[in-house]
């Protein structure tokens, strides 16, 4: 009898369709949630940058809201400003081998989550029923978020 029952589904606010939980759009939002959790951990592990992590969490939340509700993309100038200065991006191995606390490993993990979000974002932009939410304009801040986190990790290991 259980074989005839379908798995639960959800109504996707972006496309207005009913989706299974293995839908790729769900993976974008799962990774986004993991990224916000990692940024919250960084607020505690790296007090000198706490305000910036809070702003990054707000940015991701606003980005997700703009994707779902098809509102204007959130401003990301603060992310660009965080990338100003010495352009240094080290390999994860170099960063982790020099890490003296929790912040650098958390930062390298956060960078990976941003990259996953970028991957799934671009994937969803190519799916017709989701493309209206996943526009190039909304994507624009994600590369700067990744770079700002990578630069912070490099700064902490210098």
């Amino acid at each position: 009898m259980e074989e005839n029952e379908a798995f639960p589904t959800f109504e996707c606010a972006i496309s207005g369709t009913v989706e299974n939980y293995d839908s790729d759009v769900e993976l974008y939002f799962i990774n986004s949630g993991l990224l916000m959790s990692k940024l919250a951990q960084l607020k505690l592990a790296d007090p000198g940058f706490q305000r910036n992590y809070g702003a990054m969490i707000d940015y991701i939340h606003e980005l997700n809201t703009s994707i779902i509700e098809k509102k204007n993309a959130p401003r990301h100038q603060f992310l660009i400003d965080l990338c100003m200065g010495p352009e240094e991006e080290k390999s994860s191995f170099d960063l982790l081998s020099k890490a003296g606390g929790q912040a650098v490993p958390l930062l390298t993990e956060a960078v990976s989550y941003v990259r996953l979000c970028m991957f799934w974002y671009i994937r969803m932009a190519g799916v017709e029923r989701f493309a209206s939410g996943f526009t190039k304009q909304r994507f624009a801040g994600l590369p700067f978020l990744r770079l700002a986190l990578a630069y912070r990790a490099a700064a902490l290991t210098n």
Side-chain angles (χ1 to χ4, degrees):
M1 177 127 149
E2 192 174 308
E3 293 175 15
N4 294 333
E5 292 181 28
F7 282 103
T9 58
F10 67 94
E11 186 172 337
C12 179
I14 301 166
S15 64
T17 58
V18 175
E19 299 287 328
N20 291 316
Y21 280 96
D22 66 349
S23 172
D24 289 346
V25 73
E26 185 73 355
L27 282 171
Y28 169 81
F29 288 104
I30 289 169
N31 283 298
S32 175
L34 291 169
L35 172 59
M36 287 191 287
S37 294
K38 198 57 54 187
L39 292 169
Q41 288 178 317
L42 279 160
K43 281 177 61 175
L44 302 172
D46 184 11
F49 216 64
Q50 186 177 43
R51 202 166 128 223
N52 292 319
Y53 297 127
M56 291 173 183
I57 293 169
D58 292 343
Y59 169 78
I60 294 297
H61 173 72
E62 291 171 19
L63 175 61
N64 291 347
T65 300
S66 86
I67 291 168
I68 293 167
E69 297 178 5
K70 300 187 186 73
K71 294 182 177 180
N72 289 335
R75 296 184 185 270
H76 64 274
Q77 182 61 47
F78 79 99
L79 295 169
I80 295 170
D81 294 342
L82 289 173
C83 296
M84 295 295 130
E87 293 188 24
E88 183 177 5
E89 192 170 355
K90 299 177 181 177
S91 73
S92 294
F93 172 77
D94 290 340
L95 293 169
L96 294 170
S97 66
K98 294 178 182 176
Q102 292 181 338
V104 171
L106 292 172
L107 281 159
T108 59
E109 192 173 359
V111 166
S112 294
Y113 282 128
V114 176
R115 292 179 69 187
L116 281 168
C117 286
M118 292 167 69
F119 171 88
W120 286 110
Y121 190 106
I122 292 170
R123 174 81 55 102
M124 293 303 89
V127 177
E128 189 176 327
R129 69 184 185 275
F130 301 125
S132 64
F134 292 89
T135 64
K136 288 181 185 176
Q137 293 77 19
R138 290 187 186 105
F139 181 84
L142 288 173
F144 292 104
L145 175 58
R146 184 200 62 77
L147 197 56
L149 293 168
Y151 281 8
R152 181 60 179 168
L156 290 175
T157 59
N158 286 338

